Amino acid sequence: MRIQRVKAMKNPREFIVQKFTEYYRENANNIALPTSYKKREFGFILFDKRVMLRHKAFVEPRFFRDFIKSITPSDVYHSAAYYKQPSRKMGKKGWIGTDLIFDIDSDHIRTPCKVEHKYWTCEGCDQAGVGKHPPVCSQCGGSKFKMVAWLCETCLETAKSEALKLIDFLVNDFGFPPQDIEVCFSGHRGYHIHIEREEIKQLDQDARKEIVDYVLGTGLKVSLHGLMEVIRRTGKKVIGPDLNDPGWGGKIARGVYDILVTYSLQQLKEINGINKNTASLIYSHRDKILKSWNNGNPWGSIKGIGIKTWEKLVETSVDNQAVSIDTVVTIDIHRLIRMPLTLHGKTGLKVISVPSKSLERLDPLRDAIAFSKGTLKVYVLAAHRFRIGEEIYGPYRKETVKLPMAAAIYLFCKRAALLTD
Amino acid sequence: MLVSKEDFAKYPFIIEAVDYVKSLDLKTDELSQPEFSAVVTRAETRIEEALIDGITKWESRSGYEIEILSYPVAVIFVSNIDDNYLKRRYALAEAKRVQALLKEDVDEKLIEIAISVFRWNVKSLPLEVYQPFDFSLSFIDYLRNAPGFHDYRWKLVNKRLINGNVFLQKDEFSRLISEEVRKHIEETIKTSPKVELDILLLQRIERIKQRLNLRKERIRINEQPQNIISAAYPPCIKQIYDFLISGQHISHVGRFTLTSFLLNVGMKVDKLIELYTPISDFNLRLTRYQVEHIAGVRGSGTKYTPPSCETLKTHHICPGPDDLCTNIKHPLAYYRRKIRMIRK
Ligand code: SF4
Ligand SMILES: [Zn+2]
Ligand SMILES: [Zn+2]
């Protein structure tokens, strides 16, 4: 039976390359090059070599377009940096400046569904499956497996809300005009945020690190945002920031407010450094504290909840208010980022870019579809449930199904399906 | 506008002050004439104050003119001596003087300097409304200098950041300006043209050099912990150490080698940071971070050892081995063996 399957099924790799080639043949002319493209470095990953072709530069858009048409890359990148000579080696390029970029990848965000969508592929053959990989592959006997990140709607939603949180930071704290903030869906599991304003291009790595720390809440000292114990005539008293305060002060206050409104007693008990009794005390006085937020001083409203307890609540609040970004991407001034309207080799979806105000309405699993024509019969090795467009597919396990092209290519890219004859 | 002589004397690096000095059209050979002896003496004291106290004094008793003129003369001297430690030390000392003066000056002056000399995007805040803040500075300009400061209160995350502006109190803003002043003066010294000085001035320069050497010697002795035997350092460590003391640039690998070596022979983190301080006074936070990281206090918790001789050779840090070097493969082995030899 094994032999029979191998005969009837084919590794879809050539098919993917052919589809990617078609895509670029039809769409290359619509791909806009980034601003000042002549000063940027471009990078490509090819299907056969898993190394990146770097240090490419183009003096005219048509050269770039001809190039991707001729090589059919699996992934396309350009530098966030500008160089005097972008095609030379790293040390010799002559750095001019770098855009400010942020990367939000659901891989880096703790989501409860993570365990559910484990997926493995065998390194030795084209076997694949959901859940934990077996000790040895039933087909080739190999024992090396690769865990593959499955595209998950919950994870994508989480990444999106992180991106929205980041935009709020960028607009209200950092003062960037919303129309200058560009958001890209990466074509896979996350979002990039891209700012090209002149004044940020010169920021060095130390400065970018400070921006990262701000967004992550790293090194934040609550006393410097107004949470402290003061001595009054009536005795010691805790004071703290207000809900409407700007910057981190307000975020801290709103975060604590959210905790009081939404956390269960159990969740309160799980907060690091808060013991059972204190948690109960907070829980039973929630309403009183919340009310005093409108009139009076919530931080000093309950006897028995002292500065130490508030500090613990604030720590959790800071964690909740901070944005999970991939720090290296922002700090590294030589980073390459995916280019809008090119394809992502792990999904066959395209990178799409939207103005920040449209992010809310963006549906990546619908709006990033690149292959919208035709259907295909494929043999699915194993697949979690997934959505492409408006339809939900799967779960599948060793079965032949007819799928719209985008869904078929998605499974091929994930090495979850084979081509049928 | 900053036009008074007092302003020039306080802030001799501002454009108007520089122009004023230019308009006098002084030649360096005039400097040895008696009418300038007060100026030249004051220039020498400026440098001496920098060396000894780490801050130049605000000296207005003998008149603003002397203050104004002695600054460019001091810059000529420092640039002529061409010693990195002195250049940094002097720029830092002048910056500290400026910082102290700014704190006491009116807000408009601070704004004026920040905008006209450094092109910062800054506004002064109306009194009462934004208590306790006095200035709002664009975060871009803020980040030009603040990341080098070591205290937590300078981290952007601990600042009030609204709409792209960092809210600052006057002493903080003075500190930021003075850091920019320090860089500005370092740059001025670096780009200052070489001038021929006559014998009288050269004698003064000799005097300064002597003081400089004394000062360097003192650092060398003070920073030396008792139980660490510097005579047993291998040539590579000796060389990096001397570079450090003389304020020369040390490569990343060099810094790492020296730091990990000294930590391994028992130098304490704080001592080590002190050692780095004269060259990076304004970058304490980074220094502390790096040193603690290498000491294993931070991050992974692994304490690092210096690279082997082989690695040091490929990085051109090995200055060429001496006799003892031929029998060892690691600078720490050199040190241990040499100590045994010394003790015998
Ligand atoms: S041989 Fe080793 S110990 Fe000797 S100087 Fe070179 S690097 Fe240092
Ligand atoms: Zn296998
Ligand atoms: Zn998920």
Side-chain angles (χ1 to χ4, degrees):
Chain A
M1 175 206 150
R2 209 179 276 169
I3 293 157
Q4 189 192 3
R5 197 188 65 73
V6 171
K7 237 190 221 160
M9 316 302 163
K10 255 195 5 232
N11 187 307
R13 192 217 209 47
E14 267 165 44
F15 181 79
I16 304 175
V17 179
Q18 182 197 324
K19 284 313 239 183
F20 273 46
T21 309
E22 269 172 37
Y23 173 85
Y24 283 122
R25 206 180 298 137
E26 284 166 28
N27 297 286
N29 289 344
N30 303 328
I31 298 178
L33 272 76
T35 49
S36 310
Y37 62 88
K38 288 178 199 169
K39 295 194 189 120
R40 295 193 198 249
E41 175 199 353
F42 289 77
F44 305 86
I45 296 180
L46 305 181
F47 277 99
D48 42 353
K49 296 193 217 96
R50 292 310 285 179
V51 292
M52 193 187 277
L53 205 59
R54 289 197 66 164
H55 315 301
K56 292 279 162 200
F58 300 95
V59 290
E60 265 183 59
R62 67 187 164 99
F63 295 154
F64 168 83
R65 288 168 188 152
D66 290 346
F67 188 75
I68 45 170
K69 277 190 241 172
S70 68
I71 64 160
T72 308
S74 67
D75 303 84
V76 183
Y77 305 82
H78 67 73
S79 64
Y82 308 87
Y83 303 103
K84 290 201 189 90
Q85 292 172 293
S87 59
R88 300 194 63 186
K89 277 199 308 210
M90 207 27 105
K92 310 243 156 140
K93 286 184 192 300
W95 183 74
I96 300 172
T98 301
D99 299 333
L100 184 59
I101 49 170
F102 298 90
D103 179 29
I104 294 169
D105 189 328
S106 50
D107 271 351
H108 292 110
I109 309 172
R110 274 172 285 138
T111 47
C113 51
K114 275 273 162 64
V115 272
E116 294 164 24
H117 47 74
K118 276 212 172 111
Y119 191 86
W120 58 267
T121 60
C122 173
E123 300 253 317
C125 66
D126 49 26
Q127 196 64 286
V130 297
K132 272 223 224 115
H133 66 75
V136 287
C137 172
S138 63
Q139 186 169 296
C140 72
S143 58
K144 279 202 178 135
F145 300 94
K146 213 163 106 190
M147 297 311 291
V148 174
W150 199 256
L151 247 193
C152 156
E153 198 139 22
T154 319
C155 287
L156 276 179
E157 272 307 310
T158 318
K160 190 198 219 173
S161 64
E162 289 297 299
L164 289 165
K165 236 162 51 177
L166 178 59
I167 293 168
D168 178 69
F169 270 95
L170 293 174
V171 173
N172 295 313
D173 297 36
F174 288 92
F176 292 115
Q179 67 271 20
D180 287 356
I181 303 173
E182 189 196 331
V183 189
C184 289
F185 168 60
S186 73
H188 193 205
R189 294 168 54 76
Y191 291 89
H192 307 147
I193 285 172
H194 192 154
I195 297 170
E196 284 193 8
R197 286 172 67 85
E198 214 40 58
E199 73 264 21
I200 50 86
K201 290 181 181 169
Q202 294 297 312
L203 291 174
D204 63 11
Q205 309 220 6
D206 287 347
R208 287 170 205 254
K209 170 89 173 30
E210 282 296 297
I211 296 176
V212 163
D213 285 351
Y214 189 93
V215 166
L216 288 170
T218 303
L220 183 144
K221 289 269 175 286
V222 287
S223 60
L224 296 173
H225 291 282
L227 181 70
M228 57 183 103
E229 201 169 51
V230 291
I231 316 268
R232 293 280 153 83
R233 265 167 299 148
T234 48
K236 279 189 196 160
K237 194 178 162 197
V238 180
I239 56 167
D242 188 67
L243 291 175
N244 298 317
D245 279 354
W248 262 110
K251 286 184 217 296
I252 289 169
R254 293 191 294 274
V256 169
Y257 190 93
D258 282 353
I259 291 173
L260 293 173
V261 173
T262 60
Y263 272 40
S264 65
L265 180 57
Q266 188 51 36
Q267 279 175 303
L268 284 175
K269 285 179 182 166
E270 279 163 13
I271 293 178
N272 209 343
I274 291 194
N275 65 34
K276 283 191 196 123
N277 294 340
T278 316
S280 307
L281 189 65
I282 299 169
Y283 195 74
S284 55
H285 287 86
R286 281 182 306 163
D287 289 339
K288 187 169 173 216
I289 307 174
L290 289 173
K291 225 175 263 160
S292 68
W293 228 297
N294 302 319
N295 45 26
N297 175 24
W299 310 97
S301 61
I302 306 296
K303 273 212 183 66
I305 305 182
I307 183 92
K308 286 276 165 294
T309 304
W310 284 118
E311 279 171 3
K312 293 296 163 199
L313 284 174
V314 166
E315 273 171 30
T316 306
S317 146
V318 169
D319 281 349
N320 294 347
Q321 301 294 307
V323 186
S324 314
I325 54 169
D326 182 347
T327 56
V328 225
V329 175
T330 307
I331 298 170
D332 178 3
I333 51 172
H334 301 296
R335 258 296 146 156
L336 297 179
I337 45 174
R338 283 184 184 273
M339 188 164 159
L341 295 185
T342 63
L343 298 174
H344 197 302
K346 283 183 182 154
T347 57
L349 295 172
K350 60 189 174 189
V351 182
I352 45 173
S353 139
V354 293
S356 62
K357 65 172 188 335
S358 317
L359 177 59
E360 195 94 62
R361 275 176 290 125
L362 179 81
D363 174 4
L365 296 177
R366 178 195 65 207
D367 302 338
I369 290 178
F371 302 101
S372 49
K373 278 186 235 128
T375 54
L376 196 70
K377 241 167 71 204
V378 302
Y379 178 80
V380 188
L381 294 157
H384 292 282
R385 273 162 73 87
F386 66 102
R387 174 169 75 86
I388 292 282
E390 309 295 348
E391 296 280 322
I392 291 174
Y393 306 95
Y396 300 123
R397 201 166 161 70
K398 297 197 189 305
E399 55 194 295
T400 305
V401 283
K402 198 169 161 193
L403 293 174
M405 193 56 77
I409 289 184
Y410 169 70
L411 292 181
F412 287 162
C413 289
K414 286 275 170 234
R415 296 172 57 186
L418 300 172
L419 206 56
T420 55
D421 273 345
Chain B
M1 282 283 270
L2 295 157
V3 283
S4 76
K5 285 280 173 66
E6 185 182 350
D7 290 336
F8 293 180
K10 282 179 172 169
Y11 315 117
F13 53 88
I14 59 173
I15 300 145
E16 290 87 346
V18 174
D19 285 348
Y20 168 73
V21 173
K22 260 191 207 138
S23 73
L24 300 176
D25 198 28
L26 294 169
K27 302 279 177 296
T28 34
D29 43 7
E30 289 172 63
L31 287 177
S32 35
Q33 283 161 22
E35 64 260 44
F36 286 111
S37 87
V39 170
V40 178
T41 303
R42 175 67 189 127
E44 199 183 324
T45 346
R46 281 184 110 110
I47 301 171
E48 200 179 305
E49 286 163 358
L51 277 174
I52 293 164
D53 310 322
I55 178 169
T56 47
K57 287 200 192 74
W58 166 232
E59 189 58 80
S60 55
R61 271 169 307 165
S62 39
Y64 297 138
E65 205 72 21
I66 290 176
E67 273 309 279
I68 302 171
L69 290 175
S70 61
Y71 166 73
V73 174
V75 167
I76 292 175
F77 284 1
V78 172
S79 122
N80 188 288
I81 294 169
D82 197 21
D83 175 277
N84 286 324
Y85 172 79
L86 180 65
K87 288 180 194 168
R88 293 189 194 171
R89 182 97 184 164
Y90 178 69
L92 180 59
E94 287 288 354
K96 283 189 176 160
R97 182 186 64 93
V98 168
Q99 185 187 346
L101 290 170
L102 285 171
K103 266 200 279 196
E104 304 303 321
D105 220 327
V106 290
D107 290 5
E108 289 71 47
K109 293 258 179 66
L110 277 70
I111 296 260
E112 170 77 22
I113 291 175
I115 294 177
S116 77
V117 187
F118 305 128
R119 316 228 159 277
W120 282 4
N121 193 343
V122 61
K123 280 193 285 296
S124 97
L125 296 168
L127 219 65
E128 303 302 325
V129 188
Y130 292 99
Q131 283 277 342
F133 301 105
D134 308 295
F135 301 93
S136 84
L137 173 68
S138 121
F139 83 91
I140 306 271
D141 294 327
Y142 179 79
L143 289 182
R144 243 185 269 287
N145 294 306
F149 301 160
H150 131 88
D151 199 278
Y152 267 107
R153 56 189 70 240
W154 286 103
K155 278 194 77 59
L156 189 61
V157 72
N158 288 320
K159 287 288 163 215
R160 183 170 287 211
L161 174 64
I162 309 171
N163 218 350
N165 293 307
V166 181
F167 281 49
L168 298 165
Q169 301 187 22
K170 192 167 186 172
D171 58 337
E172 299 172 310
F173 189 50
S174 316
R175 175 82 169 88
L176 284 169
I177 296 180
S178 89
E179 171 63 358
E180 195 78 44
V181 167
R182 183 187 70 80
K183 292 191 209 159
H184 181 86
I185 296 178
E186 269 193 12
E187 196 55 36
T188 312
I189 296 170
K190 208 158 77 191
T191 54
S192 146
K194 275 268 164 298
V195 285
E196 290 285 318
L197 299 177
D198 73 11
I199 185 77
L200 277 171
L201 295 180
L202 284 177
Q203 275 168 6
R204 290 193 188 250
I205 286 199
E206 266 322 302
R207 270 216 302 270
I208 299 173
K209 275 189 188 158
Q210 276 169 19
R211 267 186 221 118
L212 171 65
N213 288 334
L214 270 175
R215 166 83 203 165
K216 282 196 192 168
E217 200 47 50
R218 263 242 302 287
I219 307 174
R220 228 182 294 254
I221 296 160
N222 281 350
E223 307 298 346
Q224 213 63 252
Q226 269 80 41
N227 53 344
I228 298 173
I229 299 151
S230 61
Y233 290 173
C236 50
I237 299 298
K238 268 200 194 113
Q239 176 169 300
I240 311 172
Y241 194 90
D242 286 343
F243 282 167
L244 178 73
I245 298 297
S246 63
Q248 290 186 58
H249 174 78
I250 310 173
S251 71
H252 189 75
V253 191
R255 233 176 133 102
F256 174 81
T257 306
L258 181 66
T259 309
S260 53
F261 180 89
L262 293 176
L263 286 168
N264 272 282
V265 300
M267 195 180 276
K268 295 275 166 298
V269 168
D270 285 338
K271 259 274 169 274
L272 199 50
I273 290 167
E274 259 175 56
L275 182 64
Y276 279 111
T277 309
I279 57 150
S280 56
D281 191 87
F282 277 87
N283 214 345
L284 248 186
R285 189 158 62 86
L286 194 64
T287 306
R288 174 169 289 276
Y289 178 81
Q290 287 168 343
V291 172
E292 286 183 347
H293 180 76
I294 295 170
V297 181
R298 279 169 186 266
S300 59
T302 30
K303 184 173 168 180
Y304 290 86
T305 44
S308 66
C309 294
E310 202 185 317
T311 314
L312 292 174
K313 278 172 189 150
T314 49
H315 285 283
H316 306 292
I317 282 174
C318 172
D322 67 7
D323 284 352
L324 185 53
C325 284
T326 50
N327 298 320
I328 52 96
K329 292 193 171 71
H330 198 277
L332 281 174
Y334 183 110
Y335 179 74
R336 278 182 232 114
R337 209 171 272 202
K338 186 78 178 235
I339 286 184
R340 261 181 270 137
M341 290 166 62
I342 295 172
R343 290 212 175 116
K344 261 182 200 156

